[in-house]
């Protein structure tokens, strides 16, 4: 029984809680900033082709493909999104290092994005990098916001092992979360 409880706690702290089959409501879509609307329309049309399998495109590669469709990224920006580092992730996460903020760091540093500090300001089509630490091990994920219920749940377009590539997943609110919007 304790093994089942341990697994359940692990799952809720590191994995999508639900798979969803929803889209951004038409009225909401029409009221989004132009780039957010373009991002959502692109993902809805091409998502499965961008990440046909998780091996073909992990979450960071999916995000890179989506951004590159709207605004070209440099090699350094792509590496920032990929969170390439030789440092210990746990220490970087604890320190809120810019390295672990991934897509937020890449777009803000490259003057292609605006950091969103308040979760209430997040819109569909914004980008997110988040982290949970479970039993001393860091679990991170990134994607594009489909829906958000601040401090409760966030629903993403992303590539994840659970969906075998592209999918829409809902997560419980993570421990560390970083949002950014394309300029």
């Amino acid at each position: 029984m304790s093994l089942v409880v341990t697994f359940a706690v692990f799952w809720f702290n590191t994995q999508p809680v639900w798979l969803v089959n929803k889209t951004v409501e038409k009225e909401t879509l029409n009221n989004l900033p132009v780039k957010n609307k373009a991002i959502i329309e692109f993902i809805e049309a091409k998502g499965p082709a961008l990440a046909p399998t998780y091996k073909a495109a992990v979450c960071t590669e999916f995000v890179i493909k989506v951004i590159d469709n709207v605004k070209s990224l440099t090699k350094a920006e792509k590496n920032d999104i990929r969170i390439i580092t030789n440092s210990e992730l746990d220490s970087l996460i604890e320190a809120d290092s810019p390295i672990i903020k991934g897509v937020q760091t890449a777009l803000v540093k490259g003057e292609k994005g605006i950091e969103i500090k308040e979760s209430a300001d997040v819109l569909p089509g914004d980008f997110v990098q988040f982290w949970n630490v479970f039993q001393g091990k860091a679990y991170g994920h990134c994607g594009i916001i489909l829906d958000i219920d601040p401090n409760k749940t966030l629903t993403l377009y992303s590539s994840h092992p659970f969906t075998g590539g592209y999918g829409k997943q809902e997560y419980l609110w993570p421990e560390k979360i970083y949002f950014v919007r394309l300029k």
Side-chain angles (χ1 to χ4, degrees):
M1 180 63 158
S2 68
L3 184 60
V4 171
V5 171
T6 301
F7 178 76
V9 171
F10 165 79
W11 185 264
F12 282 114
N13 281 292
T14 63
Q15 303 297 318
V17 180
W18 301 275
L19 299 182
V20 297
N21 187 21
K22 64 180 175 179
T23 58
V24 176
E25 293 178 14
K26 189 170 182 114
E27 183 178 332
T28 301
L29 185 65
N30 289 333
N31 291 319
L32 290 174
V34 173
K35 287 189 177 139
N36 287 51
K37 183 178 178 182
I39 288 164
I40 297 295
E41 289 173 341
F42 177 69
I43 293 170
E44 287 289 340
K46 305 284 185 185
L50 297 174
T53 66
Y54 185 69
K55 186 176 180 182
V58 298
C59 62
T60 54
E61 298 309 310
F62 179 77
V63 165
I64 288 167
K65 288 177 181 183
V66 171
I67 295 170
D68 251 350
N69 179 66
V70 179
K71 196 170 269 221
S72 293
L73 293 167
T74 66
K75 183 178 180 181
E77 290 164 344
K78 290 176 183 179
N79 285 341
D80 282 344
I81 293 169
R82 292 177 180 125
I83 308 177
I84 296 175
T85 182
N86 291 325
S87 300
E88 292 291 324
L89 278 176
D90 297 345
S91 299
L92 295 172
I93 291 167
E94 189 174 316
D96 263 342
S97 167
I99 294 169
I100 58 105
K101 297 177 184 181
V103 65
Q104 184 189 78
T105 294
L107 295 179
V108 171
K109 193 164 77 174
E111 298 182 358
K112 294 177 180 171
I114 302 163
E115 175 184 2
I116 303 169
K117 295 181 181 182
E118 298 297 325
S119 58
D121 296 332
V122 174
L123 298 171
D126 289 336
F127 295 86
V128 63
Q129 171 69 52
F130 66 85
W131 296 92
N132 284 311
V133 178
F134 179 74
Q135 294 186 343
K137 183 166 173 32
Y139 295 88
H141 194 62
C142 64
I144 300 93
I145 299 294
L146 187 157
D147 193 23
I148 185 169
D149 188 356
N151 300 308
K152 293 180 183 171
T153 61
L154 64 154
T155 305
L156 305 182
Y157 295 100
S158 190
S159 180
H160 193 279
F162 191 62
T163 52
Y166 170 76
K168 302 172 188 179
Q169 312 100 22
E170 187 170 327
Y171 296 82
L172 294 175
W173 200 259
E175 293 172 32
K176 300 271 185 164
I177 193 163
Y178 309 98
F179 299 105
V180 64
R181 179 173 301 142
L182 272 177
K183 283 185 180 180

